[in-house]
Amino acid sequence: MQDDATELDRALEGRGRVLIPAELKDAFADDTLAVRRRALSKSVLLGTGFYVAFALGDAFAVPDRLQLALIFRLAIILPLGLVVFYWLRRTRCSLIRQQCVACSFHLLVVGLLALLVVLSESVDALGFVFASYALLMFMVISMALPRSLVAVLASVVVLIQAVAVAHGPLRYPTLELHNLMIAIVIIGPAIFANRALESDRRRQFLLMERERLRRRQLAEQRDMLARLAALDPLTELANRRGLNAGIAGDLDRLTSGARVAIAMIDIDHFKAYNDHYGHGAGDEALRRVARALAEAARPPGRVGRMGGEEFAVFVPGITHHELPLYAERLRASVQRLALVHHHSRTAGVMTISVGMVLGCPTSSDVQMLFEAADAALYRAKKAGRNQVSIEDLTRPDMNAHRTG
């Protein structure tokens, strides 16, 4: 994700045309699709309005072809423009097809204006040449067209105007040069404006994409920090905070009246182990005990390290018949590791004491179960360690001790 951010920064810092990274081209096309579709329909609607409004000038520009000019504007351009606008708003065909249709409509208008230039004997008809290039500038800027389509559109308009000038009322060769100079003066800025607007759209997209990427990065970092804050770095088990959060989630999913068990576990004579074998060996022993307990607790137990050599297990949905076997499974899992502990007064290997209680809690009295499990652990240690002490709060007669 950091590489993506670097690539976006590099694209935004570039001068001239803003380039979209290859992997984001489809996303950019999807992101700007609605904007480009709206630009096409607005261009056709506004253009139709302009074409009809300019009918007021036909009496001065082409007085000898006034009736034909009005037919072009009111009988052809106006209804066709409305049809094209309606089609653009309703259709769901490809964008390039919509762009071609919109360009074809505008080119038709240019062609009709050029035809008026050719058919009229009025010198003022050449004003339609200027109008056509102004129309071209409007098309290029307003329709958000790709460069390839802009090049085709400009070439066709220049060609149409060249034919109109060549066959117009004034057939001077210098008018062709004049037409070309007008084309360069008007089309150049239009293409530049189109490129600037496209670069701005690309830049805005990249800025938004970079912002989305940074938000994702921040969210991932927050999640990672939350996980780390809930994790014991030595054993990779949940710490006290993480275990409490997990228990709260489990309780929310439990049905009313369901039973849960909590086991408090302490490694027997762990201080002596640390003192004689060293803290490095003590850390490795904690990791191995943690893995053994996590394996023995599944399913459905949740294991956490409470601190030092003390662990806790939360077991939702367990019954009083399963309780003794489950507690014994936890105790035996550590003894089977056969971690040599010559300084233990209980056995020649590392062992644990387990205090386990069963109850029907709510989130408000989980602490009471922890206290009861801690009291059961004290009884197991007092009975000689390497013991399991069980208390069933739902059936007080089930209290028992088991020895490994």
Side-chain angles (χ1 to χ4, degrees):
M1 187 172 290
Q2 185 60 41
D3 292 340
D4 295 338
T6 302
E7 188 173 1
L8 288 175
D9 289 337
R10 190 181 299 116
L12 286 167
E13 290 170 0
R15 295 182 178 180
R17 186 165 179 260
V18 179
L19 298 177
I20 301 293
E23 63 274 12
L24 292 177
K25 286 185 177 179
D26 290 341
F28 174 68
D30 293 339
D31 189 74
T32 58
L33 180 61
V35 174
R36 295 180 190 276
R37 289 185 191 274
R38 286 196 299 270
L40 289 175
S41 58
K42 287 181 180 179
S43 170
V44 170
L45 183 62
L46 291 175
T48 302
F50 291 150
Y51 306 150
V52 173
F54 287 159
L56 299 174
D58 290 341
F60 303 98
V62 285
D64 56 334
R65 296 294 180 180
L66 179 58
Q67 184 177 2
L68 182 61
L70 293 177
I71 290 174
F72 282 172
R73 293 186 187 277
L74 301 179
I76 297 177
I77 295 176
L78 176 59
L80 184 59
L82 294 177
V83 169
V84 173
F85 171 75
Y86 180 82
W87 180 80
L88 289 172
R89 297 287 292 181
R90 296 293 181 180
T91 187
R92 285 296 175 264
C93 65
S94 64
L95 177 63
I96 186 63
R97 184 179 177 186
Q98 288 183 310
Q99 289 173 331
C100 289
V101 170
C103 288
S104 298
F105 168 72
H106 288 299
L107 287 176
L108 173 64
V109 175
V110 172
L112 292 176
L113 295 179
L115 183 58
L116 287 174
V117 174
V118 173
L119 296 177
S120 177
E121 296 298 328
S122 172
V123 176
D124 292 329
L126 290 174
F128 285 136
V129 174
F130 295 96
S132 296
Y133 285 126
L135 172 60
L136 174 62
M137 176 178 282
F138 169 75
M139 286 187 288
V140 170
I141 295 175
S142 66
M143 290 198 295
L145 299 175
R147 287 186 304 169
S148 57
L149 200 53
V150 168
V152 172
L153 190 63
S155 300
V156 173
V157 170
V158 172
L159 179 61
I160 292 174
Q161 297 311 307
V163 172
V165 170
H167 295 83
L170 296 176
R171 296 178 176 84
Y172 298 140
T174 54
L175 285 179
E176 292 293 342
L177 180 60
H178 186 59
N179 175 58
L180 181 61
M181 294 176 64
I182 294 174
I184 294 174
V185 169
I186 294 180
I187 294 175
I191 293 177
F192 177 81
N194 173 269
R195 177 178 177 178
L197 290 172
E198 178 64 18
S199 294
D200 185 63
R201 280 188 289 270
R202 291 167 178 254
R203 189 176 301 278
Q204 290 299 321
F205 169 76
L206 292 177
L207 287 171
M208 292 176 62
E209 191 64 24
R210 186 173 67 179
E211 182 63 22
R212 286 193 289 265
L213 183 62
R214 287 179 175 174
R215 288 181 181 178
R216 287 199 299 270
Q217 288 177 328
L218 288 175
E220 290 182 0
Q221 289 172 356
R222 285 195 299 268
D223 292 342
M224 182 181 67
L225 289 175
R227 288 194 298 270
L228 291 176
L231 197 68
D232 174 57
L234 178 63
T235 63
E236 297 184 354
L237 294 177
N239 57 18
R240 185 186 295 269
R241 176 181 178 181
L243 182 63
N244 288 336
I247 290 174
D250 290 341
L251 289 176
D252 289 340
R253 290 187 292 271
L254 284 178
T255 58
S256 179
R259 297 178 179 181
V260 300
I262 291 180
M264 294 297 293
I265 299 167
D266 193 77
I267 300 177
D268 297 328
H269 307 294
F270 185 73
K271 184 178 183 304
Y273 188 93
N274 249 349
D275 290 344
H276 291 88
Y277 295 103
H279 290 284
D283 289 346
E284 178 60 25
L286 285 172
R287 283 191 286 265
R288 294 189 62 181
V289 168
R291 287 195 293 269
L293 290 175
E295 185 65 29
R298 290 194 297 263
R302 182 185 296 274
V303 186
R305 183 186 178 197
M306 306 301 284
E309 67 271 24
E310 191 172 52
F311 297 84
V313 180
F314 177 78
V315 192
I318 192 171
T319 67
H320 70 274
H321 297 295
E322 299 169 323
L323 191 65
L325 293 176
Y326 195 94
E328 177 60 24
R329 189 169 76 190
L330 294 174
R331 186 203 64 79
S333 68
V334 175
Q335 188 167 4
R336 280 197 301 268
L337 293 175
L339 296 175
V340 176
H341 189 353
H342 293 307
H343 302 278
S344 172
R345 297 189 297 274
T346 302
V349 295
M350 185 171 288
T351 59
I352 59 173
S353 298
V354 181
M356 196 164 189
V357 298
L358 181 70
C360 300
T362 62
S363 57
S364 60
D365 58 11
V366 168
Q367 187 58 38
M368 179 268 294
L369 285 181
F370 270 105
E371 292 173 358
D374 204 47
L377 173 61
Y378 176 78
R379 291 192 295 270
K381 293 167 71 173
K382 188 176 181 181
R385 302 178 188 269
N386 195 21
Q387 304 276 328
V388 170
S389 178
I390 299 171
E391 183 174 2
D392 187 345
L393 299 180
T394 66
R395 298 179 59 180
D397 60 307
M398 284 290 295
N399 297 345
H401 296 286
R402 291 178 179 269
T403 306

